[in-house]
Amino acid sequence: MTKAEIGSREWFEVYLDAFNNNDFDGFSAFYAPDVEFYGQAANLKGPAEVIEFYTMVMDRIDEHVALKTFVGSKTNIAIELVTTLKFKKDWPDFAPGPMKAGDHREAINFVFYDLNEKGLFTRIRSARYAVIRER
């Protein structure tokens, strides 16, 4: 991972960089074996389910997250993100609403992470706050 202090912004940005670059090994290294993910599109348990979900997602869209606000400690992290989605394929049953190939959506999301004593994510809770742009 990184030599930065667990729970610091620098440490967390390593996770986001791996996510933004579709580095499944890199971002899943932050997950505890019992990680739970609660989001708008899915509720998942375990790294394998999270990776399976994001493999499907990243086949349909290019997703990029940009960190706006960060509050972190060794046990909890709270962030505000701008999430940009560019749809590569039609997605008629996309959770927030149907999208077509070529569509673009930007939204502000809040995400909360719980960390265990090893600095691994045990629970991730994500919620959309606002759509900034959709075309």
Side-chain angles (χ1 to χ4, degrees), residues 1-6 8 10-15 30:
M1 277 195 250
T2 177
K3 302 240 186 256
E5 183 177 344
I6 291 171
S8 70
E10 179 185 4
W11 175 85
F12 188 76
E13 286 176 341
V14 171
Y15 170 73
F30 285 78

Side-chain angles (χ1 to χ4, degrees), residues 57-100:
V57 167
M58 291 174 181
D59 179 58
R60 297 177 182 193
I61 62 174
D62 287 323
E63 180 172 5
H64 182 270
V65 294
L67 189 58
K68 288 182 60 76
T69 305
F70 176 89
V71 178
S73 73
K74 291 182 181 186
T75 57
N76 300 97
I77 294 172
I79 62 169
E80 177 187 17
L81 293 172
V82 173
T83 302
T84 302
L85 307 176
K86 295 177 182 174
F87 289 78
K88 300 187 278 189
K89 298 180 178 179
D90 291 354
W91 196 343
D93 58 346
F94 182 61
M99 301 298 283
K100 294 195 177 291

Side-chain angles (χ1 to χ4, degrees), residues 4-26:
E5 183 177 344
I6 291 171
S8 70
R9 184 180 184 121
E10 179 185 4
W11 175 85
F12 188 76
E13 286 176 341
V14 171
Y15 170 73
L16 289 185
D17 185 60
F19 184 86
N20 282 332
N21 287 292
N22 297 343
D23 176 359
F24 292 92
D25 290 338

